[in-house]
Amino acid sequence: GIQVEQSPPDLILQEGANSTLRCNFSDSVNNLQWFHQNPWGQLINLFYIPSGTKQNGRLSATTVATERYSLLYISSSQTTDSGVYFCAVELGVGAGNMLTFGGGTRLMVKP
Amino acid sequence: EAGVAQSPRYKIIEKRQSVAFWCNPISGHATLYWYQQILGQGPKLLIQFQNNGVVDDSQLPKDRFSAERLKGVDSTLKIQPAKLEDSAVYLCASTPLRLAVFSYNEQFFGPGTRLTVL
């Protein structure tokens, strides 16, 4: 099956710092989503981004589908950004919207 | 708009006991998913429903897990009997009906049920 790898696995930042999280996938995908799982376990949608670039406040994401990777940028990090960031991909046509998740990047932002 | 509801939020049982989890998707969402998230890992899909029919249950351990969505709205996931390795968070997600092969709907997740098997 498809492999979804995220890096780095763990990241510690000082408040105010910027960071880039990466998601590599091993096959062509129909779609890609980025999620933030907060310390209480809730998965929150950040971006639906099968290709191109999107921005939402301090967060932005870029997916280069032809090269099979996506990047999530966090600028001016805040302690509330702490948690686990997952990318999830849907395989090609006929995959029925089923998502395969990466292993996540665990982010801790220190005050 | 209300989100995906799940209950209970926490459950502790002993191995070989039975347990059931409930999920109510976002109103009008035809597709419902159950995921298992083991500590330190990403969620893994167990089963997908569209209305009251099963789309995919290839990763559901059918010897002990079962799920139903009888009226095409809320759903129940059951484990009988539970094993220690079933300790995990069970997440429910939903999306609207997929209208075209190339269309995509974002999945929205509930808060999850954290299961501990002792």
Side-chain angles (χ1 to χ4, degrees):
Chain A
I2 190 169
Q3 303 297 314
V4 182
E5 296 182 354
Q6 292 186 242
S7 61
D10 297 280
L11 185 60
I12 300 175
L13 297 176
Q14 204 65 38
E15 197 168 30
N18 302 328
S19 63
T20 301
L21 282 57
R22 187 177 181 100
C23 172
N24 292 331
F25 39 96
S26 61
D27 205 344
S28 298
V29 298
N30 210 25
N31 292 290
L32 186 146
Q33 273 187 256
W34 281 98
F35 295 90
H36 174 218
Q37 190 165 42
N38 65 24
W40 296 270
Q42 177 73 54
L43 273 169
I44 300 165
N45 294 30
L46 296 177
F47 295 102
Y48 153 56
I49 183 166
S51 63
T53 298
K54 289 186 177 180
Q55 181 156 6
N56 184 4
R58 296 181 296 103
L59 302 182
S60 63
T62 296
T63 297
V64 184
T66 53
E67 297 186 21
R68 301 181 183 173
Y69 73 89
S70 183
L71 302 173
L72 177 69
Y73 306 95
I74 305 175
S75 64
S76 304
S77 58
Q78 300 176 358
T79 56
T80 52
D81 295 331
S82 296
V84 184
Y85 290 81
F86 289 103
C87 74
V89 301
E90 179 200 20
L91 295 179
V93 173
N97 261 171
M98 291 181 289
L99 292 176
T100 299
F101 282 76
T105 292
R106 288 150 192 79
L107 173 65
M108 179 184 294
V109 181
K110 294 186 172 182
Chain B
E1 178 182 84
V4 177
Q6 290 189 247
S7 67
R9 292 296 311 279
Y10 305 93
K11 189 75 176 178
I12 300 174
I13 62 172
E14 296 189 349
K15 60 183 179 183
R16 292 187 289 273
Q17 286 187 322
S18 302
V19 65
F21 313 126
W22 175 82
C23 171
N24 193 24
I26 293 172
S27 178
H29 280 194
T31 308
L32 184 149
Y33 312 79
W34 283 102
Y35 289 84
Q36 179 192 59
Q37 186 177 19
I38 293 172
L39 186 65
Q41 300 180 17
K44 183 187 80 171
L45 181 70
L46 292 176
I47 188 168
Q48 177 187 0
F49 293 94
Q50 183 158 300
N51 297 313
N52 61 351
V54 175
V55 174
D56 188 286
D57 63 357
S58 58
Q59 299 193 80
L60 188 73
K62 299 181 188 62
D63 57 332
R64 298 182 300 105
F65 286 65
S66 63
E68 59 184 15
R69 193 184 184 200
L70 294 176
K71 297 183 179 179
V73 180
D74 56 348
S75 176
T76 302
L77 177 70
K78 296 179 181 177
I79 308 175
Q80 181 179 6
K83 293 185 175 181
L84 296 177
E85 58 261 36
D86 297 333
S87 294
V89 175
Y90 291 85
L91 295 162
C92 180
S94 71
T95 64
L97 181 66
R98 187 170 192 161
L99 297 178
V101 171
F102 288 99
S103 69
Y104 181 77
N105 296 305
E106 294 180 51
Q107 290 192 24
F108 294 91
F109 283 78
T113 296
R114 184 176 299 276
L115 173 67
T116 301
V117 182
L118 303 176

